[in-house]
Amino acid sequence: MDTSVLLGGGAAGAIIGLVTTFMTQFFAGRHQTREFDRADRVRREERQVEEERARDEQKRADYIALNTASRDFLTALTDLLHAVERTESRQEEREALERARGVHRSRYAEAQLRVPDAVLETASSVNRRLMSLFGMVKRLDNGRAHDGDTFETAQPRIQEIWGLLSKLRREMRIDLGVTER
């Protein structure tokens, strides 16, 4: 039997053709939409990974800068203290100390806004001790020492700060995931 007779002739075939075409386009459109959504999701995930990587690199750079600046500041303080003790000309050490202090202050100010509390707590301890030692060394340098401002009392303070710097470095390494607590 002729199917065109059962379906009402050529009109039915045309309708079936249209429905088939429509369904093919509909399913192709749905497939294309899913592919676009999947590609968009992959792009967002890749962007998120890149942003995390950039944040980690920035944090690492901030930590390196803070560690370096704090160590340089302590070294400059120690150098000036030794020059004062030897009663040598101290202008070069004074200038180096002021430069190191300025860099440390900048790096510490940045850290106050960027680092987690555990790291900031130790960085604050380092900063307070450095600034206290700075005051002592400057008073010794200027010949206006307070009671207790001596070369002998400065040495344990210097060693204490080196210990705090080690603690700070450890806190930063833990935060970076380089080492475990």
Side-chain angles (χ1 to χ4, degrees), residues 5 13 18 23 38 42 57 61 79 84 122 131 155 163 169:
V5 172
L18 283 173
M23 293 304 288
R38 187 189 69 73
V42 167
E57 286 301 316
D79 290 348
V84 169
T122 306
M131 296 313 291
Q155 290 307 316
R169 188 174 53 251

PDB file of all heavy atoms in Angstrom, residues 5 13 18 23 38 42 57 61 79 84 122 131 155 163 169:
ATOM      1  N   VAL A   5      -0.899   7.664   0.416  1.00  0.00           N
ATOM      2  CA  VAL A   5      -2.363   7.606   0.474  1.00  0.00           C
ATOM      3  C   VAL A   5      -2.790   7.570   1.935  1.00  0.00           C
ATOM      4  O   VAL A   5      -3.717   8.246   2.345  1.00  0.00           O
ATOM      5  CB  VAL A   5      -2.910   6.380  -0.310  1.00  0.00           C
ATOM      6  CG1 VAL A   5      -4.400   6.198  -0.086  1.00  0.00           C
ATOM      7  CG2 VAL A   5      -2.580   6.488  -1.770  1.00  0.00           C
ATOM      8  N   GLY A  13       3.848  13.960   3.976  1.00  0.00           N
ATOM      9  CA  GLY A  13       5.293  13.786   3.814  1.00  0.00           C
ATOM     10  C   GLY A  13       6.043  15.084   4.083  1.00  0.00           C
ATOM     11  O   GLY A  13       7.109  15.104   4.684  1.00  0.00           O
ATOM     12  N   LEU A  18       9.262  18.423   7.655  1.00  0.00           N
ATOM     13  CA  LEU A  18       9.432  19.632   8.475  1.00  0.00           C
ATOM     14  C   LEU A  18       9.688  19.287   9.936  1.00  0.00           C
ATOM     15  O   LEU A  18      10.554  19.875  10.591  1.00  0.00           O
ATOM     16  CB  LEU A  18       8.196  20.535   8.362  1.00  0.00           C
ATOM     17  CG  LEU A  18       8.071  21.344   7.084  1.00  0.00           C
ATOM     18  CD1 LEU A  18       6.726  22.064   7.039  1.00  0.00           C
ATOM     19  CD2 LEU A  18       9.198  22.334   6.965  1.00  0.00           C
ATOM     20  N   MET A  23      13.177  18.873  14.490  1.00  0.00           N
ATOM     21  CA  MET A  23      13.734  18.091  15.601  1.00  0.00           C
ATOM     22  C   MET A  23      15.257  17.993  15.481  1.00  0.00           C
ATOM     23  O   MET A  23      15.960  18.070  16.489  1.00  0.00           O
ATOM     24  CB  MET A  23      13.099  16.693  15.630  1.00  0.00           C
ATOM     25  CG  MET A  23      11.609  16.703  15.985  1.00  0.00           C
ATOM     26  SD  MET A  23      11.257  17.518  17.546  1.00  0.00           S
ATOM     27  CE  MET A  23      11.896  16.326  18.691  1.00  0.00           C
ATOM     28  N   ARG A  38      29.712  24.076  28.505  1.00  0.00           N
ATOM     29  CA  ARG A  38      30.884  23.337  28.968  1.00  0.00           C
ATOM     30  C   ARG A  38      32.165  24.132  28.713  1.00  0.00           C
ATOM     31  O   ARG A  38      33.020  24.260  29.580  1.00  0.00           O
ATOM     32  CB  ARG A  38      30.973  21.968  28.278  1.00  0.00           C
ATOM     33  CG  ARG A  38      32.077  21.078  28.854  1.00  0.00           C
ATOM     34  CD  ARG A  38      32.292  19.833  28.019  1.00  0.00           C
ATOM     35  NE  ARG A  38      32.871  20.101  26.728  1.00  0.00           N
ATOM     36  CZ  ARG A  38      34.152  20.442  26.520  1.00  0.00           C
ATOM     37  NH1 ARG A  38      34.982  20.565  27.523  1.00  0.00           N
ATOM     38  NH2 ARG A  38      34.608  20.671  25.298  1.00  0.00           N
ATOM     39  N   VAL A  42      34.775  25.572  31.520  1.00  0.00           N
ATOM     40  CA  VAL A  42      36.209  25.269  31.464  1.00  0.00           C
ATOM     41  C   VAL A  42      37.015  26.566  31.494  1.00  0.00           C
ATOM     42  O   VAL A  42      38.011  26.678  32.213  1.00  0.00           O
ATOM     43  CB  VAL A  42      36.546  24.418  30.216  1.00  0.00           C
ATOM     44  CG1 VAL A  42      38.045  24.362  29.965  1.00  0.00           C
ATOM     45  CG2 VAL A  42      35.963  23.024  30.354  1.00  0.00           C
ATOM     46  N   GLU A  57      51.743  33.640  43.711  1.00  0.00           N
ATOM     47  CA  GLU A  57      53.014  34.254  43.313  1.00  0.00           C
ATOM     48  C   GLU A  57      53.198  35.622  43.975  1.00  0.00           C
ATOM     49  O   GLU A  57      54.294  35.952  44.410  1.00  0.00           O
ATOM     50  CB  GLU A  57      53.103  34.382  41.790  1.00  0.00           C
ATOM     51  CG  GLU A  57      53.344  33.077  41.082  1.00  0.00           C
ATOM     52  CD  GLU A  57      54.634  32.396  41.519  1.00  0.00           C
ATOM     53  OE1 GLU A  57      55.676  33.074  41.643  1.00  0.00           O
ATOM     54  OE2 GLU A  57      54.584  31.182  41.770  1.00  0.00           O
ATOM     55  N   ALA A  61      56.114  36.603  46.597  1.00  0.00           N
ATOM     56  CA  ALA A  61      56.961  37.788  46.387  1.00  0.00           C
ATOM     57  C   ALA A  61      56.896  38.719  47.598  1.00  0.00           C
ATOM     58  O   ALA A  61      57.929  39.267  48.020  1.00  0.00           O
ATOM     59  CB  ALA A  61      56.530  38.520  45.114  1.00  0.00           C
ATOM     60  N   ASP A  79      75.491  46.415  62.070  1.00  0.00           N
ATOM     61  CA  ASP A  79      76.681  47.075  61.519  1.00  0.00           C
ATOM     62  C   ASP A  79      76.915  48.424  62.183  1.00  0.00           C
ATOM     63  O   ASP A  79      78.059  48.755  62.553  1.00  0.00           O
ATOM     64  CB  ASP A  79      76.542  47.265  60.001  1.00  0.00           C
ATOM     65  CG  ASP A  79      76.624  45.959  59.233  1.00  0.00           C
ATOM     66  OD1 ASP A  79      77.016  44.928  59.828  1.00  0.00           O
ATOM     67  OD2 ASP A  79      76.262  45.971  58.031  1.00  0.00           O
ATOM     68  N   VAL A  84      79.765  51.898  66.143  1.00  0.00           N
ATOM     69  CA  VAL A  84      79.718  52.751  67.345  1.00  0.00           C
ATOM     70  C   VAL A  84      80.646  52.173  68.404  1.00  0.00           C
ATOM     71  O   VAL A  84      81.403  52.910  69.050  1.00  0.00           O
ATOM     72  CB  VAL A  84      78.272  52.865  67.893  1.00  0.00           C
ATOM     73  CG1 VAL A  84      78.251  53.518  69.268  1.00  0.00           C
ATOM     74  CG2 VAL A  84      77.388  53.641  66.923  1.00  0.00           C
ATOM     75  N   THR A 122      53.534  37.377  64.034  1.00  0.00           N
ATOM     76  CA  THR A 122      54.988  37.234  64.154  1.00  0.00           C
ATOM     77  C   THR A 122      55.704  38.419  63.502  1.00  0.00           C
ATOM     78  O   THR A 122      56.683  38.929  64.049  1.00  0.00           O
ATOM     79  CB  THR A 122      55.455  35.903  63.535  1.00  0.00           C
ATOM     80  OG1 THR A 122      54.708  34.836  64.128  1.00  0.00           O
ATOM     81  CG2 THR A 122      56.928  35.669  63.776  1.00  0.00           C
ATOM     82  N   MET A 131      62.275  47.988  65.820  1.00  0.00           N
ATOM     83  CA  MET A 131      62.158  49.429  66.091  1.00  0.00           C
ATOM     84  C   MET A 131      62.701  49.778  67.477  1.00  0.00           C
ATOM     85  O   MET A 131      63.306  50.835  67.666  1.00  0.00           O
ATOM     86  CB  MET A 131      60.707  49.886  65.938  1.00  0.00           C
ATOM     87  CG  MET A 131      60.182  49.738  64.494  1.00  0.00           C
ATOM     88  SD  MET A 131      61.295  50.361  63.205  1.00  0.00           S
ATOM     89  CE  MET A 131      61.211  52.105  63.525  1.00  0.00           C
ATOM     90  N   GLN A 155      73.187  42.843  72.322  1.00  0.00           N
ATOM     91  CA  GLN A 155      73.477  41.532  71.720  1.00  0.00           C
ATOM     92  C   GLN A 155      72.350  40.511  71.936  1.00  0.00           C
ATOM     93  O   GLN A 155      71.942  39.856  70.970  1.00  0.00           O
ATOM     94  CB  GLN A 155      74.815  40.984  72.231  1.00  0.00           C
ATOM     95  CG  GLN A 155      76.019  41.744  71.708  1.00  0.00           C
ATOM     96  CD  GLN A 155      76.024  41.859  70.189  1.00  0.00           C
ATOM     97  OE1 GLN A 155      75.757  40.901  69.461  1.00  0.00           O
ATOM     98  NE2 GLN A 155      76.330  43.049  69.694  1.00  0.00           N
ATOM     99  N   GLY A 163      65.967  34.979  66.055  1.00  0.00           N
ATOM    100  CA  GLY A 163      65.054  33.869  66.352  1.00  0.00           C
ATOM    101  C   GLY A 163      63.639  34.150  65.866  1.00  0.00           C
ATOM    102  O   GLY A 163      62.973  33.270  65.311  1.00  0.00           O
ATOM    103  N   ARG A 169      59.786  33.338  59.141  1.00  0.00           N
ATOM    104  CA  ARG A 169      60.029  32.596  57.900  1.00  0.00           C
ATOM    105  C   ARG A 169      59.273  31.265  57.918  1.00  0.00           C
ATOM    106  O   ARG A 169      58.658  30.870  56.931  1.00  0.00           O
ATOM    107  CB  ARG A 169      61.529  32.376  57.706  1.00  0.00           C
ATOM    108  CG  ARG A 169      61.885  31.784  56.369  1.00  0.00           C
ATOM    109  CD  ARG A 169      63.388  31.709  56.146  1.00  0.00           C
ATOM    110  NE  ARG A 169      64.095  31.041  57.207  1.00  0.00           N
ATOM    111  CZ  ARG A 169      64.891  31.648  58.095  1.00  0.00           C
ATOM    112  NH1 ARG A 169      65.086  32.950  58.038  1.00  0.00           N
ATOM    113  NH2 ARG A 169      65.509  30.963  59.028  1.00  0.00           N
TER     114      ARG A 169
END
